[in-house]
Amino acid sequence: DEIIATINDILVEEFEVDRAVIVPEADFRESLGLDSLDYVDLVVLIEQEFGVKLVEADFKPIVTFNDFYTTLENKVNAR
């Protein structure tokens, strides 16, 4: 839950995403509307915040916010 709250805060504060669109079953890419540079920024922020590095392959299976949270939680727990 702490990871989810932190990620949501990053999305709202850094990318000006409306908190109302950040729901677990929402489409991750469609809801965020980020471009490729935004994804690079997101990866950097995640690395700074959680000490894990996400690579392009990590994003391929991500469809929903829940998928994103699960991917990040698995990375954090694997460190």
Side-chain angles (χ1 to χ4, degrees):
D1 287 346
E2 186 178 322
I3 288 175
I4 292 171
T6 302
I7 286 297
N8 291 353
D9 288 344
I10 288 171
L11 293 173
V12 170
E13 293 166 18
E14 300 293 332
F15 300 101
E16 299 176 0
V17 175
D18 181 354
R19 199 173 288 275
V21 304
I22 306 174
V23 292
E25 56 283 337
D27 186 287
F28 182 75
R29 289 172 188 82
E30 194 175 289
S31 298
L32 294 180
L34 302 180
D35 63 26
S36 56
L37 289 177
D38 289 331
Y39 280 106
V40 171
D41 291 341
L42 179 59
V43 167
V44 169
L45 290 166
I46 287 170
E47 190 171 5
Q48 290 171 344
E49 186 68 38
F50 298 103
V52 296
K53 186 160 186 75
L54 293 177
V55 295
E56 188 177 342
D58 293 323
F59 283 94
K60 288 193 189 300
I62 294 172
V63 176
T64 65
F65 281 95
N66 209 40
D67 295 337
F68 182 66
Y69 301 144
T70 301
T71 298
L72 188 55
E73 287 174 356
N74 290 340
K75 284 269 195 179
V76 168
N77 291 335
R79 320 175 254 169

